[in-house]
Amino acid sequence: MRRTLARWARAEWGPLYAAVRDAARRRGPAALPLTAAAVGLTGFLHYAQHQPWGYALVRDLGAVRADDPLGTALLRTPLSLFVPAPDLPVWGALAQILLVFGIAELCLGRWRTLAIAYAATLAGTLYARLGVTLGAHAPFGLPWTDAQVVDTGPSAAVVGLAVYVGWRYGAYATAGAVTLAMVAEVLLKENLAGKEHLAALTAVGLLCLLTALRDRPPARPRPHRPPPGWTGRHPGTPPVRT
């Protein structure tokens, strides 16, 4: 049983572990500048929004709501990723960023990690606007009260990065487990955050598909086979004497 589990763990996480280990050995402490900055910024914004001088400032710069003008929402979305929900313990957001952002940055690089994180966050933000427009009775709609919900935090980015990295390095069971957990969240507790996570997963799934199509090797041309009876000479050519 233990050997079977060990073989499964090596097959599931072996390539990912090797990528993380090699990148950490090659670049050392300088391998995680994005993760360190994200943890520090999240911690600072959490502190600031609980201070009299910082609450309004953080809300004006990083709070996104579905009923905000689109331009304002797009400008606030980058910072909203690092504004933890004020009613949740901040250590959860910091732990998510440290673990998932750290692994992604080691495996994918800082710019690809940042691009995927923002793509997942933006997908959730845009879905909220669409869902409120559709209304609560539509299959993918949201009640109008969700238009006033402050939409911040790294959860959509974390979910998207976890699935993308798992898919990229062959940890398909892990990526599938994260996806099933997000589906179960919506089924058990249907709320804005859960549906935004599904929107983020949809966007990341599209990125995975585009990446697979881009990296697919070109098809090899099939060798030409001469028709039966072909001797290599054109009709009317005299036979070659030896």
Side-chain angles (χ1 to χ4, degrees):
M1 183 66 176
R2 290 182 179 179
R3 292 182 179 180
T4 301
L5 290 176
R7 286 195 299 268
W8 178 86
R10 283 194 296 269
E12 177 72 9
W13 296 310
L16 178 59
Y17 171 77
V20 171
R21 179 196 59 198
D22 294 345
R25 286 180 178 178
R26 186 170 60 254
R27 292 183 283 169
L32 298 171
L34 172 63
T35 302
V39 170
L41 181 59
T42 303
F44 171 76
L45 292 175
H46 170 74
Y47 170 79
Q49 70 179 348
H50 286 85
Q51 304 302 316
W53 55 266
Y55 179 84
L57 179 63
V58 172
R59 283 292 175 264
D60 290 341
L61 295 179
V64 178
R65 300 177 182 85
D67 64 348
D68 289 336
L70 179 59
T72 301
L74 293 178
L75 288 175
R76 292 177 177 177
T77 296
L79 191 63
S80 72
L81 195 159
F82 304 106
V83 178
D87 56 338
L88 296 177
V90 69
W91 61 262
L94 296 178
Q96 290 177 7
I97 293 174
L98 183 62
L99 178 63
V100 178
F101 271 66
I103 292 175
E105 187 173 7
L106 289 171
C107 296
L108 306 175
R110 69 178 67 96
W111 296 116
R112 185 178 295 181
T113 297
L114 191 61
I116 295 171
Y118 276 134
T121 302
L122 184 60
T125 299
L126 295 179
Y127 159 74
R129 304 175 69 86
L130 176 62
V132 171
T133 302
L134 293 175
H137 299 291
F140 299 100
L142 294 169
W144 64 269
T145 52
D146 283 347
Q148 295 293 326
V149 175
V150 177
D151 178 21
T152 62
S155 58
V158 165
V159 168
L161 283 172
V163 170
Y164 187 90
V165 171
W167 168 80
R168 187 71 175 177
Y169 286 88
Y172 301 120
T174 303
V178 173
T179 302
L180 289 177
M182 296 303 102
V183 174
E185 177 188 11
V186 172
L187 295 177
L188 295 176
K189 185 180 180 181
E190 188 174 355
N191 56 14
L192 175 62
K195 291 186 175 181
E196 284 190 342
H197 293 164
L198 294 184
L201 289 178
T202 302
V204 170
L206 181 59
L207 288 177
C208 292
L209 177 61
L210 294 176
T211 302
L213 293 176
R214 183 197 64 186
D215 296 342
R216 184 176 59 181
R220 296 181 179 179
R222 300 179 62 181
H224 176 71
R225 295 182 179 181
W230 173 254
T231 61
R233 294 186 298 108
H234 293 284
T237 304
V240 178
R241 297 181 179 180
T242 59

